[in-house]
Amino acid sequence: MEPVTDYQTLTGLPAHPTLSSLLDLHLSVFTGQTREEILAELTYQDKRGPLVCTMALIDGRVIGYKIGYERKPGHFYSWLGCVDPGFRGQGIASRLISLQHDGCCQQGYHTVSTQTYNQWREMLILNLKHGFAIVGTKQGTHGLIILLEKRLSADAV
């Protein structure tokens, strides 16, 4: 396993071939959607308010990402994210979360929220380690959804 050579954060969807690499990773981790469906979702959300994409790359290949957007003034929603299973356990997800939250602080956000299905326990634990609190649950299409929120402070940057 090679070390990550690059972390990038950009506003809006990445250009090809980076976008294609991000879609490849997403579809390898999450099932139940086609490439066209996830691309349509990303494009739709990006048009509503630009997405913020934080990515870990090796030689131009996306091996981890966090994608989010402003839900309302001062409030950032961390929507999608994953790390290639072959690169887990190296701190990549933690680094992506830290970069995302640092960027949120710099942009003046005071709250970050996210949600995860109970089946993604590693993501739940990672979020708790990074200061999120469980603020509720709801029933989702695929089981229990855990709602999480984190207050940001300017001191965190």
Side-chain angles (χ1 to χ4, degrees):
M1 287 183 262
E2 305 169 53
V4 175
T5 57
D6 192 21
Y7 284 94
Q8 296 178 7
T9 298
L10 56 97
T11 300
L13 289 174
H16 290 283
T18 305
L19 178 58
S20 182
S21 179
L22 187 147
L23 292 171
D24 290 343
L25 173 58
H26 181 88
L27 293 167
S28 75
V29 172
F30 300 107
T31 59
Q33 278 185 307
T34 66
R35 186 179 202 83
E36 293 75 25
E37 288 169 334
I38 187 60
L39 182 57
E41 260 187 77
L42 289 167
T43 302
Y44 171 78
Q45 189 57 56
D46 191 45
K47 286 180 181 174
R48 290 185 63 205
L51 296 175
V52 178
C53 300
T54 303
M55 301 171 291
L57 301 101
I58 293 177
D59 296 327
R61 180 171 74 102
V62 178
I63 54 109
Y65 70 86
K66 295 287 292 173
I67 297 175
Y69 55 89
E70 180 177 289
R71 191 166 257 175
K72 60 185 178 186
H75 186 98
F76 189 84
Y77 180 67
S78 183
W79 178 30
L80 296 171
C82 67
V83 172
D84 182 309
F87 292 91
R88 291 184 183 163
Q90 299 179 35
I92 295 167
S94 285
R95 179 78 174 129
L96 289 168
I97 287 174
S98 293
L99 288 168
Q100 184 185 66
H101 294 183
D102 289 350
C104 286
C105 287
Q106 292 168 4
Q107 294 301 313
Y109 292 106
H110 55 76
T111 305
V112 177
S113 66
T114 192
Q115 61 186 36
T116 186
Y117 276 102
N118 195 40
Q119 75 188 59
W120 303 111
R121 292 173 196 260
E122 288 130 349
M123 183 53 66
L124 174 61
I125 291 166
L126 184 67
N127 282 319
L128 293 171
K129 285 182 178 178
H130 281 270
F132 281 90
I134 296 172
V135 295
T137 60
K138 66 181 180 180
Q139 192 58 42
T141 310
H142 306 290
L144 184 67
I145 296 174
I146 301 166
L147 309 173
L148 301 120
E149 192 170 279
K150 177 181 178 179
R151 296 282 300 165
L152 299 172
S153 72
D155 301 334
V157 179

